[in-house]
Amino acid sequence: MMMNTVSRGVRLLPAIFFVIALQALFDQCRSAELTIRRSSDDQLPVYNQTAENLRSILVDYFRHPRHHHVGAEYKANARKFIAETFTSYGLEVETHIFTTDNENYNGTNVIGILKGDLAGTAHDQISLVGAHYDTQRTMTGIDDNGSGVAAMLEVARKLTEDKCHRKYTTIFVAFDIDVMEEEVDAFSACFTRITCGCSPFVTEWLYSYLDNSMGAVLKGAILLQAIMNYDNRPTSQEFTDKENFPEAFDAITNDGNRGNFLGVLGRSFDSDLANAIMAKWESLPESKYKIYDLELDIEGVPTSLDQVKYQKYLMGDHFNFWNEEYMKAVYLTDTRDSRIVPMRCVDNICDDIGVITDENLIFLAKSVQMLTDYLYDVTETDPNNCYKELDLKETINEKVSLIVKTGQSKSDGGMRLGGSVLVMMAAFFTAFLRH
């Protein structure tokens, strides 16, 4: 009886050794996770890799009109690309379908959620980056607003590539049917603003998400619209509002009225958000690309008097956040039509692929890095808890090689059994890595 018990115990030894060795291997791999804050390719002055990624996104998916009547197929392709890109970066993807001013057309907002460790709790402090992906009928919308969507997707890539743990959540959203147009025919769908893409997103989807997160708060929203048009020639910028933006007016005038800057539009209420973002810009290379604070004297929700006084500054997506209690938001823009760049129009189609120049791409890439750095900090991403899949596999490969050598050396004499288990384990991991 005792001999049978011993015999069964001996037969269990390989499994026991296997489990012990397996645990040791994974402990060593976890301890070898790399401390990587951000990849270094974009710290170069020319932001090469991000600029080329942006070029590919714009050329492949945002060079044609994306209107629900003119270019519906291109808009559908862009929407699919956005969702698939979010998915490939490991974001939780949702679509938000909403009604418009035209019963024949619904809109589809695409949402990607990069969850933090506190996601789903009242302690989560959510950041949001948004950009609309549709266009006017006669615009291919490279700058307005392919640039905003491309930048948003690149920020998502850079935040997820190092697989770092973060405390707080970031939401990325691509808005549909967000370009306002007059009710001129049966195809108009966004002409009262409250039905345009960003508005129902805030009132329907965002509030629901916050409620389901046990009362989590929106720390700040960053809206991107037309952010790659750079022109350093004198008198290329129209900027006449000295009353509301005296500091920016003086700086632009003294610089020869050049369209060489990114504008950050916000209220007094949003000043901490705007300042934090601009501080990241100022810390980056390529100082020829400037940034100016465009702060309106508004505290909280704009009053009826504010809406009359600042009407032309309240037409973007940011207003939908400003119109809600306690929601902070800033609007990033190259000032669009106020930047006097000759607009290429072919067959009545404007804002086309000619906007994609090396200089404009670097300008856009700097915005990407600024937002990445800001979100990295505000979400309290842990730089000591990051790794890359490739690096982890390389670490496992090194451990497997060591196991093989150990197993071979121990397969002589009384350690033959343990050595065989180690060799068997090495073969298992080698096969795993090949897949």
Side-chain angles (χ1 to χ4, degrees):
M1 183 70 173
M2 182 176 293
M3 290 298 294
N4 289 338
T5 302
V6 171
S7 177
R8 284 196 297 270
V10 170
R11 287 198 298 270
L12 287 173
L13 282 175
I16 295 171
F17 285 142
F18 182 84
V19 171
I20 294 172
L22 183 64
Q23 183 62 52
L25 175 64
F26 277 110
D27 286 344
Q28 291 181 65
C29 290
R30 280 197 298 268
S31 69
E33 289 181 353
L34 299 182
T35 302
I36 303 174
R37 191 177 193 283
R38 282 180 291 272
S39 84
S40 60
D41 54 24
D42 294 322
Q43 300 303 318
L44 298 173
V46 291
Y47 309 97
N48 283 337
Q49 186 59 57
T50 289
E52 287 309 307
N53 290 346
L54 292 166
R55 186 195 304 273
S56 296
I57 293 171
L58 291 168
V59 170
D60 293 344
Y61 295 97
F62 296 96
R63 60 181 298 184
H64 300 287
R66 300 177 298 281
H67 187 272
H68 52 273
H69 175 54
V70 179
E73 179 181 353
Y74 293 119
K75 187 172 79 165
N77 290 339
R79 178 169 58 244
K80 180 182 178 183
F81 170 70
I82 294 166
E84 290 177 347
T85 300
F86 282 159
T87 299
S88 71
Y89 296 156
L91 275 59
E92 184 178 295
V93 179
E94 296 187 19
T95 54
H96 168 235
I97 299 174
F98 59 93
T99 58
T100 70
D101 288 316
N102 189 325
E103 63 181 8
N104 295 316
Y105 296 102
N106 288 334
T108 304
N109 296 324
V110 184
I111 302 149
I113 306 169
L114 179 57
K115 290 188 173 181
D117 293 336
L118 295 179
T121 75
H123 301 293
D124 201 4
Q125 298 179 24
I126 299 168
S127 296
L128 183 146
V129 180
H132 73 82
Y133 67 96
D134 64 322
T135 68
Q136 298 179 28
R137 303 184 195 194
T138 59
M139 304 284 278
T140 60
I142 294 288
D143 185 35
D144 186 9
N145 190 33
S147 65
V149 179
M152 177 178 67
L153 294 176
E154 267 298 280
V155 171
R157 177 187 72 83
K158 292 173 70 62
L159 286 176
T160 57
E161 66 179 351
D162 291 335
K163 305 188 190 314
C164 298
H165 282 275
R166 55 190 50 81
K167 190 173 183 179
Y168 301 119
T169 297
T170 301
I171 295 174
F172 299 92
V173 55
F175 303 116
D176 188 16
I177 307 188
D178 206 53
V179 176
M180 292 190 66
E181 58 183 354
E182 295 181 3
E183 187 180 4
V184 294
D185 55 31
F187 307 111
S188 301
C190 170
F191 44 83
T192 61
R193 178 149 67 177
I194 61 173
T195 62
C196 301
C198 182
S199 179
F201 166 79
V202 172
T203 58
E204 297 171 11
W205 190 93
L206 183 57
Y207 269 118
S208 175
Y209 182 86
L210 295 175
D211 288 343
N212 292 335
S213 298
M214 309 298 292
V217 298
L218 179 69
K219 188 175 182 65
I222 305 168
L223 291 311
L224 313 177
Q225 181 155 345
I227 56 173
M228 72 175 292
N229 197 354
Y230 173 86
D231 192 334
N232 199 39
R233 296 173 301 174
T235 71
S236 59
Q237 179 71 47
E238 285 185 353
F239 196 91
T240 59
D241 195 346
K242 185 174 183 177
E243 178 183 357
N244 290 315
F245 312 114
E247 292 185 10
F249 176 85
D250 289 342
I252 294 167
T253 301
N254 293 336
D255 195 34
N257 292 297
R258 301 171 189 269
N260 57 5
F261 64 89
L262 183 71
V264 181
L265 180 66
R267 302 162 294 175
S268 305
F269 184 66
D270 310 303
S271 59
D272 56 342
L273 173 60
N275 290 336
I277 292 171
M278 291 189 294
K280 294 301 181 184
W281 179 282
E282 297 293 357
S283 70
L284 293 171
E286 294 292 356
S287 59
K288 72 175 185 178
Y289 301 114
K290 304 181 186 303
I291 193 166
Y292 293 127
D293 185 10
L294 307 178
E295 182 180 302
L296 296 172
D297 186 19
I298 299 176
E299 286 290 347
V301 176
T303 65
S304 56
L305 292 177
D306 290 333
Q307 293 188 45
V308 172
K309 180 178 180 180
Y310 302 118
Q311 181 180 7
K312 66 179 180 179
Y313 300 117
L314 303 179
M315 302 304 293
D317 292 331
H318 55 290
F319 178 77
N320 298 293
F321 295 88
W322 290 6
N323 207 35
E324 303 295 327
E325 291 283 353
Y326 310 117
M327 285 193 179
K328 295 185 177 183
V330 294
Y331 176 80
L332 274 54
T333 180
D334 58 23
T335 73
R336 302 167 63 196
D337 296 340
S338 295
R339 191 148 297 175
I340 312 170
V341 175
M343 186 66 74
R344 285 182 43 171
C345 295
V346 179
D347 295 332
N348 230 14
I349 300 297
C350 303
D351 187 10
D352 74 348
I353 199 169
V355 178
I356 305 177
T357 66
D358 290 344
E359 200 164 45
N360 282 351
L361 288 169
I362 296 170
F363 181 52
L364 183 57
K366 185 168 183 177
S367 292
V368 168
Q369 193 60 50
M370 171 189 69
L371 293 173
T372 302
D373 290 352
Y374 166 76
L375 290 168
Y376 196 98
D377 288 349
V378 78
T379 59
E380 295 191 19
T381 300
D382 185 357
N384 297 311
N385 197 359
C386 306
Y387 69 92
K388 289 187 177 180
E389 182 180 0
L390 178 62
D391 297 316
L392 185 56
K393 286 188 175 182
E394 289 175 352
T395 301
I396 293 175
N397 269 320
E398 292 175 1
K399 301 303 177 185
V400 166
S401 298
L402 179 61
I403 288 169
V404 171
K405 292 177 182 178
T406 303
Q408 290 172 343
S409 66
K410 292 183 177 181
S411 61
D412 297 326
M415 297 299 294
R416 183 180 303 276
L417 181 61
S420 298
V421 172
L422 291 172
V423 172
M424 179 177 67
M425 186 179 154
F428 170 79
F429 274 105
T430 302
F432 169 76
L433 290 171
R434 285 174 180 167
H435 292 282

